[in-house]
Amino acid sequence: MNKIFKYKYFIYQLTRVSVLSRYKKTRLGLFWMLLSPILTVITWVILHKAGIFNPGDTGIAYPAYVFFSSTLWTFFFEAYRSVSESVTFHSKMLLNHKLPYGTVVIERTGFHLANFIIPLLINIPVILIFGGSIGFSALFFPLAIIPLLFMGIALGMFVAVLKVVAVDFSNVIDEVIKVVKYLTPVVYAANADLGFLSHIVKWNPLTYLIGFPRDIMLGLGTQYISGFGITLLAVVIFFLLAWRFYTISTPLLVERLFGN
Amino acid sequence: MERKNNISIHIHKVSKKFCRDIRHNLMYSFKDVLKKQIGLPLSTHKLRNKEFWALKDISFDLKSGEITAIVGMNGSGKTTLSRIISGIFQADEGEIIKNEALKITPIFTLSSGVHPLFTGRENIFVKGAAFGLSKEEFEEKVEEIIAFSEVGEFIDSPVGSYSSGMKSRLAYSIAIATNPDVLVIDEALAVGDTVFRAKCFDHIQQFVQQENKSVIYVTNHIHKVLRIANRVLVLDKGKLVNDTYDVKEGLLFYIKNCFKGQSPKRKEGFIKLIENWNINE
C-alpha cells in the first residue's frame, strides 16, 4: 500500500490521460453511458404497455424507476468492466516499467468515476422528465453508492487475473453478470411476483446495493436498509479477499502478457 | 584518480523458464495462481512439458562505474535478464541482491507509455511518473528534459506527429532525468539519428563517471558495444558463456561461437571490424 502511495502522481497522470484521450477521440463518449439506461427504459416500457410484463409496484412512475435503476446497474457494471481490464489494458506499461499492480486498479477506477460523473448529473433532469422526484435523502446518495462501486472493483480484480490466465473463465463471468441484471430489481420492483426467482432476488447482494441508493435518491424510503447493512459487511470481506487474490497473483502474470 | 568499483547488484544463479506453447502456458499460469493462493510452493526448478530455460544459472556482479554490454543472438535471454534485473520479472530460481534504495531505470521499447494524442510536454509527465518521478521532481526537471531531447518547438505538438527519432529522443531524455543508480538500456537506442546517439553515448560515459552509477546496455550492435562498453557479457541460449573486461575479446568470442546462421563473409567482416577497432579513431 505504501508503494502505491509513492506512485500517486503516476496514478493521477495516467487517469488524466485515459479520461482525456477518451474525450479527444469521441463526442459520444460523454453520453453513451446514458444511452444504455435509455434503451432499457424504451424496451421495458413497451413490454409493460403491451401487457407482457408486470413490474409490480415501483412506487413512482415506471420509466423513471427503470431509468435510474439501470443507471445504477451501469455504474456497477462499468466499474467491474474497467477494473477487469486493468492488467490487460496496461500490459505494455507493466512489461516495461516496474510498477505496483495496485496502481492500475486505482487508475481504472478513477477513469470509471470520471466517466460517470457527467452522465449522473444529466440523470437528474431526466428522472424528473420521466415523472420521478428527488427527495432530501438524495444528499446521502454519494455515500450510498460506495459499496456498489467496491463490489464492482472487487469482481473486476478477480476477473483481471482470470483475463490473463483463464480467458474462457473470465468470459463466462462476464456473461453471468449480464444475466444477474435480470435477477436484480432493475426493470421490476422488489415486490414483483417472480415465483421461484424471488428467492434468488432476495439473496442477490445487488438487490440491496442498488435498491438502497435508488430509494434514497428517489425518496422511496428505506425498505432495503437492513439488507443493505448485512451486504455492506459482505462487500468489505469480499473486497479484502479480492485484493489479496489480486496482489498475490499479479506478479505471476506479467511474463504471460505478451499475447495481449 | 583511482575509484573503487562497488558492487551495486549481485546476481546469483538466476534462472527463468518460459513455455513454448500458449495453451500449456495458460494452464501452468492458472495452476500457479491457484497454488500461490493457497500457499503451496511453486515447482520452480523442474521443467514441465513444453517449458525451457530462458535463463539458466546466471551469476555476475554489476559494479558501479561500468558500462556492461549484454550481447547475444535473438532469443538468447538478453531482454529477460534485463527485465529480471529491473524487477519487472521474477526469477524462478536464484536471487538478485541489491540495496533496497537502489534506483533502477529500465528503458525498453521507447514507445511504451507514450500517448500519441498528447503533446510532448504532457507525455513527459505521464512517462516520467511511470518511472516514479514525483510532482516536485518534475518542476525542476521539465525544462532540462526538453532541452536534452532537442525536440524544440515540437514539444507542444502531439507526439503522434513526431518522427521515430524525435520520439526516442524524448523518451531517452525522460528516462535519464530520473537520475537512476543503474540505467538499463535494452535496444532502445537502435532508432534515432546518429548525432543524437553520439550525444547519448557521451552522456552514458559521463553518467558512469559519477559515484555509484552503472549502465547495462543490451544490444546486438557490435559498433555500439565497441564504442561505449567496458565489459561484455555474452549470452547463448540462456547461459552466460563469457564475462570479460576485454571488450574486443568478448565480442570475438560472441562472433566466433554464438553468431549462428550468418554467412562466413559477414562473420569475417565483423571479426576484422573488432580487431581493427581503435577507440580513439
Side-chain angles (χ1 to χ4, degrees), chain A residues 9-10 13 16-17 24-25 92 94-99 164-165 244-245 248-249 252 254-256, chain B residues 16 25-26 29 33 36-37 83 86-88 108-109 112 115 117-118 122 125-126 129-131 138:
Chain A
Y9 192 58
F10 166 67
Q13 285 294 344
R16 187 178 158 271
V17 164
K24 277 193 186 190
K25 275 187 243 170
K92 218 174 163 191
L94 294 171
L95 264 173
N96 293 311
H97 299 275
K98 182 170 170 45
L99 295 164
V164 184
V165 299
R244 182 181 172 274
F245 177 80
I248 290 180
S249 307
L252 291 172
V254 68
E255 63 201 64
R256 330 268 181 185
Chain B
K16 179 83 195 165
N25 190 13
L26 288 177
S29 315
V33 162
K36 224 176 156 191
Q37 285 302 327
R83 283 208 166 97
S86 311
I88 297 169
F108 295 100
T109 48
S112 83
H115 299 260
L117 293 171
F118 289 80
E122 287 171 310
F125 286 92
V126 185
F131 284 129
F138 270 112

Side-chain angles (χ1 to χ4, degrees), chain A residues 100-114:
Chain A
Y101 291 91
T103 52
V104 288
V105 170
I106 301 173
E107 185 274 335
R108 288 285 91 190
T109 307
F111 172 73
H112 163 62
L113 289 176

Side-chain angles (χ1 to χ4, degrees), chain A residues 120-130 134:
Chain A
L120 198 66
L121 292 177
I122 300 170
N123 256 330
I124 293 170
V126 180
I127 291 172
L128 300 174
I129 293 168
F130 279 150
I134 291 167

Side-chain angles (χ1 to χ4, degrees), chain A residues 88-228:
Chain A
T88 38
F89 185 81
H90 290 299
S91 59
K92 218 174 163 191
M93 188 82 106
L94 294 171
L95 264 173
N96 293 311
H97 299 275
K98 182 170 170 45
L99 295 164
Y101 291 91
T103 52
V104 288
V105 170
I106 301 173
E107 185 274 335
R108 288 285 91 190
T109 307
F111 172 73
H112 163 62
L113 289 176
N115 278 331
F116 207 77
I117 281 173
I118 296 167
L120 198 66
L121 292 177
I122 300 170
N123 256 330
I124 293 170
V126 180
I127 291 172
L128 300 174
I129 293 168
F130 279 150
S133 62
I134 291 167
F136 277 112
S137 52
L139 290 172
F140 295 101
F141 173 77
L143 286 176
I145 56 167
I146 291 173
L148 183 62
L149 173 68
F150 273 77
M151 182 76 183
I153 297 171
L155 271 174
M157 282 196 288
F158 275 111
V159 176
V161 172
L162 296 181
K163 265 199 193 321
V164 184
V165 299
V167 186
D168 296 336
F169 221 43
S170 76
N171 289 342
V172 169
I173 295 180
D174 260 12
E175 295 308 317
V176 167
I177 292 179
K178 283 176 197 161
V179 172
V180 169
K181 178 175 181 181
Y182 297 105
L183 298 172
T184 309
V186 171
V187 295
Y188 51 82
N191 56 16
D193 182 20
L194 299 167
F196 72 99
L197 288 178
S198 296
H199 288 289
I200 302 178
V201 172
K202 201 178 147 197
W203 287 97
N204 177 1
L206 288 163
T207 299
Y208 308 98
L209 294 177
I210 289 178
F212 183 68
R214 175 189 56 219
D215 287 3
I216 275 197
M217 185 71 162
L218 303 177
L220 295 175
T222 51
Q223 54 165 327
Y224 290 106
I225 196 153
S226 55
F228 184 75

Side-chain angles (χ1 to χ4, degrees), chain B residues 259-270:
Chain B
F259 212 55
K260 312 243 162 61
Q262 303 285 341
S263 67
K265 208 178 159 192
R266 209 166 131 78
K267 264 186 161 177
E268 267 318 296
F270 275 123

